[in-house]
Structure formats: C-alpha cells, structure tokens
Amino acid sequence: MKLSQGVEWCLHAVVLLGQLPQGTVLPRTLMAQHHGLPDDYLAKYLKQLVRAGVLMASTGPRGGYRLARPAERITAWEVIEAIEGGQSFFHCQEIRQCGTGAARPAECTEPCAIHQMMHSAFLTWKDQLSQTTVADLVQQVPEHVRERNRQGLLNA
Amino acid sequence: MKLSQGVEWCLHAVVLLGQLPQGTVLPRTLMAQHHGLPDDYLAKYLKQLVRAGVLMASTGPRGGYRLARPAERITAWEVIEAIEGGQSFFHCQEIRQCGTGAARPAECTEPCAIHQMMHSAFLTWKDQLSQTTVADLVQQVPEHVRERNRQGLLNA
DNA sequence: GCATGTCTACTCGGATAACGACTGTCCGAGTGCCCCTGG
DNA sequence: CCAGGGGCACTCGGACAGTCGTTATCCGAGTAGACATGC
C-alpha cells in the first residue's frame, strides 16, 4: 500500500504558495518547473485541490493558482483528503457474517474488534495530520531557501 | 489508497486461531469456509504470515496452520507488516532537489518538513497497532461466539 | 487623446491511452496416516 | 497377534491469467490583456 505521489506533489505545491506573499497567483507551469514535475500530470492533482476548496484557480494571462485561505487555516489533512478521498484505508467487509461460522445480524450491532482497532488507528493518523497547518510546514523551510524561492518565482 | 483485503482476512484468521486452545492446528479449508473466503486466494496471504514467523504450517493429514507464539505475544502490526511490507506508505521523492528551484545537497542533510510530518504520522499509526495484541482482539469477541467457534471448528 | 472592438496568447479543465499492483485461479510437491501383508 | 512396507488422501507452496486503480499524455474551452482603429 502506498499513497499516490500526487500527495507529495500537492503538499509541496501548497507549501510553495505559502512561502509567497498572501494572495500571490502562480501559474502551473512555473510550479512544475520549480520542482521538476510534469506539468500536464500535475494539473490532474491541482484540479482536485481546487474542487476541494484548498486552492483557487484563474485562467487567462496572469492567471494561475493561489491559496483559497491563509496558510494558517489550511491543514495537511485537507490536502491529503482532496487527493486520496479522506476515507479510512481499511474497509471492513463484515466477513464475520459470512461462511459457516457466520454471526447473526443481531450479534453485530457494533463494529467488530478488528474494525474498531483499524478505525481508531486511522483516526489517530488523520488527527495528527489535521493538527499540522501549511504555515507550520512553511516555517520549517530555512529562511534563505524561502527568500531564494521568492526571488525565483516572483521575478519570473 | 486502501489496504489489501488480505490484511482483514489475516487478522480474522489469526484471531480465529487465538480463540482455540493454544497450539491447535487448523487446516486452511476450514478457515476459509468459516469466514466464507476463497480457499486458494487465502493461501496467498497465509503463506506470507508463515514467512514472517507469525504462523507455523504443517502439511499432510491433520496438518494446517497454528500460531507461532501465544496470542499475547503477537501484535496486530506484525500481521499487517507481513502482508503490506511494513514500510511507510509515503515515499519521499526528494523533489525539493529537482527542477529550477532545486536545493543543493548540502541543504538537505535532514528530511524535509513534509517527509518528517508524514513519517511521524505513520509511526503513530504503526505504534498504535503494535500495542494491540491478538489476545486483546480475541477478548473483545463475545464469549458465546468464541464457544460456538470452538464447537464448530474442533469437532469438524 | 480616448474609447471601443477585435485579436492573440496564455491558463486551466476534461477526456483518453499505458502501465503496474492487487485480485483470483490452477496445478504440483511433500507428508502423515491407514491398511494390507507377511511372519 | 504384531511389525513392516506400500499406497493414498490430505495439506501447503509456487506459478500463471484477469481486473481495477494509478500513472502519463493530449487537446479543447475560456479569459484577460494588448493592440489597432475610429471618433
């Protein structure tokens, strides 16, 4: 099992936007070149971020993507949710109710122990990612790198 | 992203073995019938549990699978690790070192913020599953269900 | 000089192939038990 | 009646197709700005 690489790309894209002055619009081409990513394929994922309300897109000259909200109010989980769908990666098939040892529906009023454990672990994972904002990630980028990125992107 | 269904099957299989007297050997056919699973396909996953040292297999008449250790000393994570590989589901591609905005290797002595966050969340997930043993899961199965399973499987 | 209309270049969005992993199935290898046979 | 050997049924293990999701790519729709033109 592995996450789509789009998760990494989108997180980097959002962090990149978070390094620029609030409201800055960045064309996809620049983003892709900055990280050495295929422009067309990156579009597939950024589109999903727009749908999820994380980014806003504008077309035409001087168009591009910008953060839909201040970086402090966008969590890493929102980005992952937009790409991966946000549902638990464990899907209980209720096999306890199948086969010769099937439990009766009356005995299955609540999820089985395995389901509960997996769901609990997933919530822990999700919660941890929900507590990290894009602003937190931006702050961990060294200042001189941020400055270099601003110079490279705003003057382009 | 989703976990292989083999994870669910194997967890149920291990919990089922944990309900029987210690050292009980159960043929795969019975296991599959008990949960209504395809026997041949289940083999694919149980094999991996044997390789990982979670189960022990014996062939021939009266053969089958049994727990390699007492249920108290087998964790849920071990089962998942045997099926899914145990590595983090986030693979950092170091795209910060690619493209026009590439960081120099000297600036990348430690993982990037995104990598650190994802890895930390993964460890939390993994640790939580490592703290749950098969015995814990067995105890959450209602006693009358356990008794019914014992009757159904040992007398077969 | 200014307003207006058109035209061009730029940007995002949706639709369409190629690849790989998970899913599903088959047959062969090995082993322990049972039964038959001979003493 | 007992010991030994052969046969058989049972079980796991590895190898081979099918299906779905991720990956990768292309082209079209729409828009904002710039330029030329007429007043």
Side-chain angles (χ1 to χ4, degrees):
Chain A
M1 174 190 67
K2 71 177 183 59
L3 286 166
S4 161
Q5 64 185 1
V7 168
E8 181 179 7
W9 295 2
C10 285
L11 283 172
H12 274 281
V14 171
V15 168
L16 194 63
L17 282 171
Q19 295 174 34
L20 305 178
Q22 191 169 333
T24 302
V25 173
L26 204 60
R28 192 206 304 150
T29 309
L30 268 184
M31 271 195 227
Q33 288 176 351
H34 186 84
H35 284 310
L37 303 177
D39 179 80
D40 287 337
Y41 189 17
L42 181 61
K44 191 183 186 70
Y45 292 117
L46 293 183
K47 180 183 9 174
Q48 296 183 253
L49 288 185
V50 172
R51 280 185 188 164
V54 174
L55 296 184
M56 297 192 64
S58 52
T59 64
R62 307 289 296 170
Y65 299 92
R66 65 181 178 86
L67 296 181
R69 277 162 286 157
E72 292 80 12
R73 289 177 47 219
I74 301 179
T75 68
W77 168 248
E78 285 181 83
V79 176
I80 298 173
E81 185 181 24
I83 304 300
E84 293 288 339
Q87 52 198 350
S88 172
F89 29 74
F90 179 82
H91 298 279
C92 184
Q93 297 182 3
E94 284 292 332
I95 66 177
R96 62 176 169 173
Q97 296 189 48
C98 304
T100 58
R104 290 171 303 185
E107 294 170 336
C108 304
T109 54
E110 58 181 21
C112 70
I114 293 170
H115 186 179
Q116 287 182 27
M117 173 189 68
M118 296 302 293
H119 188 62
S120 170
F122 171 74
L123 286 184
T124 305
W125 184 73
K126 168 183 165 183
D127 284 349
Q128 183 158 344
L129 294 170
S130 299
Q131 286 166 12
T132 303
T133 68
V134 173
D136 295 332
L137 294 172
V138 168
Q139 279 209 327
Q140 292 187 51
V141 177
E143 174 55 33
H144 71 278
V145 173
R146 275 185 274 171
E147 178 58 27
R148 187 174 59 200
N149 288 337
R150 275 194 290 271
Q151 294 297 329
L153 293 173
L154 295 180
N155 299 339
Chain B
M1 175 189 68
K2 71 176 182 59
L3 286 166
S4 160
Q5 64 185 1
V7 169
E8 181 178 8
W9 295 4
C10 285
L11 283 172
H12 274 282
V14 171
V15 168
L16 194 63
L17 283 170
Q19 296 174 34
L20 305 177
Q22 191 169 335
T24 302
V25 172
L26 204 60
R28 192 207 304 151
T29 310
L30 268 183
M31 271 195 227
Q33 287 176 350
H34 186 84
H35 284 311
L37 304 176
D39 179 81
D40 287 337
Y41 190 17
L42 181 61
K44 193 182 187 72
Y45 292 117
L46 292 183
K47 182 188 359 177
Q48 297 184 252
L49 289 185
V50 172
R51 280 186 188 164
V54 174
L55 296 184
M56 297 190 64
S58 52
T59 65
R62 307 290 295 168
Y65 298 92
R66 67 181 177 85
L67 296 181
R69 278 162 285 157
E72 291 81 13
R73 289 177 45 219
I74 300 177
T75 68
W77 168 249
E78 285 180 84
V79 177
I80 297 172
E81 185 181 24
I83 304 301
E84 293 289 339
Q87 52 199 352
S88 171
F89 28 74
F90 178 82
H91 300 279
C92 184
Q93 297 181 5
E94 285 292 333
I95 65 177
R96 62 174 167 172
Q97 296 190 47
C98 305
T100 58
R104 290 172 302 185
E107 294 170 335
C108 304
T109 54
E110 57 181 21
C112 70
I114 293 170
H115 185 179
Q116 288 183 26
M117 172 188 70
M118 295 303 293
H119 188 61
S120 169
F122 171 74
L123 286 184
T124 304
W125 183 73
K126 168 183 165 182
D127 285 348
Q128 184 159 344
L129 294 170
S130 300
Q131 286 166 12
T132 303
T133 68
V134 172
D136 294 334
L137 294 171
V138 168
Q139 278 208 328
Q140 290 187 51
V141 177
E143 174 55 32
H144 70 278
V145 173
R146 277 185 272 171
E147 178 59 26
R148 186 174 60 200
N149 288 338
R150 276 194 289 272
Q151 295 294 331
L153 293 173
L154 297 179
N155 298 339

